[in-house]
Amino acid sequence: MVEVTVTPRSSLADQAVQVVVCGLAPSQLVTLRAWLTDEHGERFQARAFYRSDEAGTVDAGLHAALGGNYTGVWPMGLFWFLQPDSLFKRLVKRDVMGSPFLVHVEVFDGLCLVSGQQDEPLAACTAERWYVSPGVQRVPIREGRVRGALLLPP
């Protein structure tokens, strides 16, 4: 049974995570895809192609991507190389206090250049990427023409 894991499942946006797929056949060619939908409903995604090792495992921190949005060893590549489906869109988190980005990580058999509704992933999981630690207080700043926010730790 194929399983994809993101460790830790819930983390701060600047914290490194580990993406591992296990349960594959040795030397199996797979596509790893990460995607999220922002607060405006825009979809961002990244994909990379990997070949599993002799144990049937793909570890994004150890194995090199063979193609896709990046090549080589990029442990956080699926998160760093997210691209918009629509042109001229930027990934911006407006509500940093209230909710995380939910990043869906999926693994597909073979090379999957374009995935549609008919493509069923071998395995999938969801990771939470928070922008503010629990207990942080946000204080709005308005002084003259200056606008901002002060984030105070607990």
Side-chain angles (χ1 to χ4, degrees), residues 21-45:
V21 181
C22 57
L24 299 167
S27 298
Q28 182 176 350
L29 189 61
V30 295
T31 300
L32 279 174
R33 180 178 72 151
W35 64 272
L36 64 85
T37 304
D38 73 1
E39 296 158 335
H40 297 292
E42 294 294 330
R43 186 170 161 140
F44 293 78
Q45 60 181 323

Side-chain angles (χ1 to χ4, degrees), residues 94-114:
R94 301 267 182 223
D95 178 19
V96 296
M97 299 296 289
S99 64
F101 270 140
L102 298 177
V103 182
H104 306 273
V105 179
E106 301 169 330
V107 58
F108 296 91
D109 187 27
L111 296 178
C112 185
L113 299 175
V114 178

